[in-house]
Amino acid sequence: MNRVVRFHETGGPEVLRLEEVPVPSPGPGEVLICTRALGLNRAESMFRLGQYGYDPVFPSGLGYEASGEVEAVGAGVTGLAVGDAVSVVPSFKMTDYTVHGEHVLAPARAVVANPEGLSFEEAASVWMMFITAYGGLIDLAHLGAGDTVLLPAASSSVGLAAIQIAHMVGARAVALTRTSAKRQQLLDAGADAVIATTEEDVVARVRELTGSNGARVVFDPIGGPALADLIRAAAQEGIIVLYGVLDTEPAPLDVLEVLFKHQTIRGFEMMEITLDDTRRRQAVDFVRDGLAKGDLTPVIDKTFPLDAIVDAHRYLEAGRQVGKVVVTVPR
């Protein structure tokens, strides 16, 4: 039996099904993985809803992140052997490969040995969040010592990863969250300051924290009307990196603010890192180094068994988590 997560129409978590399909055979350049844990991300939720950058082809699987053991390798695959503990770096479209299931195929270029000392659950959670944060903060914005970075949706797995990466390079991380409910958890996670955006004046608070200079980097997965305050809170020659659209309402743009402060607004998606062999290797090496030194630590909020995949998606979309949602695959 090989159960995989599939859906036959776009919609809420209830459209997901666990369906039995044959165990696939790896073709040239592919790896068959017997999974032990699956990482859940907003990307899968948006893909299931039909709100992602490309549309599903039905019946559709989904999933970017998984960890487990190599069960077979296709022709031309080197450096990976049957029995190896591995995880998948998101480096493909979900219309080409999907890895939420018990036995899944992945392109060999996207499969890496699990970082030493991590459980399968932790290994399934690290690559999307840490490479996304690395790509926006380090590869694009060149975040460094003395910088201040604003992190909307800071309690997400990427937000927490960004706090850790900021500290790793000597920057100050200011976490943004809608209310004060998660303030202490974010401080405990390492945020240097927390701004509750529905309770405080974001621009005034950032000016207070930065001596009126503003934040050099903004790393925003939300967009929408709140983008106006982020632009005003950004520094002269600041960079605003947009990596998501959690708020689909139109985003106002203060052109004079951007123009006279010489700001950069840059769209970013993780695939521009992971589809480039050189940049992917650099990102993986950066994350491995941070994990080995203890500077980076995956934060898992809650795990669900594969049979509860619908509940896992519902929990993710409720937005109550602080960290990663992981699905376990029993053996």
Side-chain angles (χ1 to χ4, degrees):
M1 181 172 69
N2 178 35
R3 297 184 303 166
V4 299
V5 181
R6 296 210 297 187
F7 59 109
H8 295 254
E9 60 181 333
T10 57
E14 68 278 359
V15 304
L16 296 175
R17 301 285 184 271
L18 282 175
E19 298 183 345
E20 293 187 21
V21 300
V23 175
S25 297
E30 294 182 332
V31 177
L32 177 64
I33 300 170
C34 177
T35 65
R36 299 286 295 276
L38 317 172
L40 193 57
N41 301 285
R42 285 283 179 180
E44 286 96 14
S45 172
M46 294 174 68
F47 183 64
R48 188 202 70 231
L49 287 163
Q51 297 173 354
Y52 204 49
Y54 48 87
D55 294 327
V57 178
F58 299 117
S60 177
L62 80 175
Y64 272 138
E65 289 186 288
S67 69
E69 295 158 334
V70 174
E71 192 159 301
V73 298
V77 174
T78 59
L80 296 167
V82 173
D84 285 351
V86 297
S87 43
V88 180
V89 177
S91 312
F92 45 82
K93 286 186 174 182
M94 284 186 281
T95 47
D96 296 329
Y97 291 93
T98 57
V99 297
H100 283 185
E102 294 177 328
H103 295 83
V104 299
L105 292 177
R109 60 180 167 74
V111 179
V112 298
N114 281 354
E116 188 174 349
L118 295 193
S119 67
F120 284 112
E121 291 79 10
E122 290 170 327
S125 75
V126 297
W127 299 116
M128 175 72 89
M129 64 181 181
F130 282 123
I131 292 181
T132 299
Y134 161 88
L137 298 182
I138 307 301
D139 188 276
L140 292 185
H142 306 296
L143 188 73
D147 285 335
T148 295
V149 56
L150 303 185
L151 301 171
S155 62
S156 69
S157 58
V158 174
L160 297 180
I163 291 172
Q164 294 183 26
I165 286 176
H167 288 168
M168 188 174 169
V169 299
R172 180 168 58 165
V174 177
L176 274 60
T177 184
R178 288 188 304 108
T179 72
S180 295
K182 296 177 181 178
R183 183 185 298 274
Q184 191 57 51
Q185 287 172 289
L186 288 167
L187 290 170
D188 292 344
D192 295 286
V194 177
I195 300 174
T197 59
T198 61
E199 302 169 9
E200 302 177 70
D201 184 322
V202 173
V203 178
R205 187 82 173 97
V206 172
R207 287 175 178 162
E208 176 189 329
L209 290 168
T210 61
S212 298
N213 292 322
R216 192 183 74 78
V217 180
V218 177
F219 189 50
D220 180 33
I222 298 176
L227 182 62
D229 278 347
L230 297 179
I231 290 171
R232 286 194 290 271
Q236 188 82 15
E237 299 186 354
I239 178 170
I240 297 101
V241 179
L242 296 169
Y243 70 98
V245 195
L246 293 178
D247 188 340
T248 57
E249 290 296 312
L253 179 63
D254 187 334
V255 176
L256 288 177
E257 188 85 6
V258 174
L259 178 64
F260 287 102
K261 288 171 73 174
H262 307 161
Q263 293 175 336
T264 299
I265 300 176
R266 171 68 152 82
F268 166 69
E269 58 167 338
M270 188 193 64
M271 292 297 175
E272 66 180 278
I273 301 291
T274 60
L275 291 178
D276 181 305
D277 290 344
T278 299
R279 294 169 80 187
R280 183 178 65 250
R281 283 193 296 269
Q282 291 170 340
V284 169
D285 288 346
F286 179 95
V287 174
R288 282 194 188 280
D289 182 61
L291 291 167
K293 291 178 177 177
D295 293 328
L296 304 181
T297 303
V299 178
I300 295 175
D301 177 90
K302 191 170 183 177
T303 63
F304 292 81
L306 182 60
D307 285 334
I309 187 65
V310 172
D311 292 335
H313 274 247
R314 285 185 177 137
Y315 183 77
L316 177 80
E317 292 182 356
R320 294 188 296 269
Q321 77 277 10
V322 177
K324 192 82 168 190
V325 178
V326 173
V327 175
T328 59
V329 183
R331 293 296 172 197

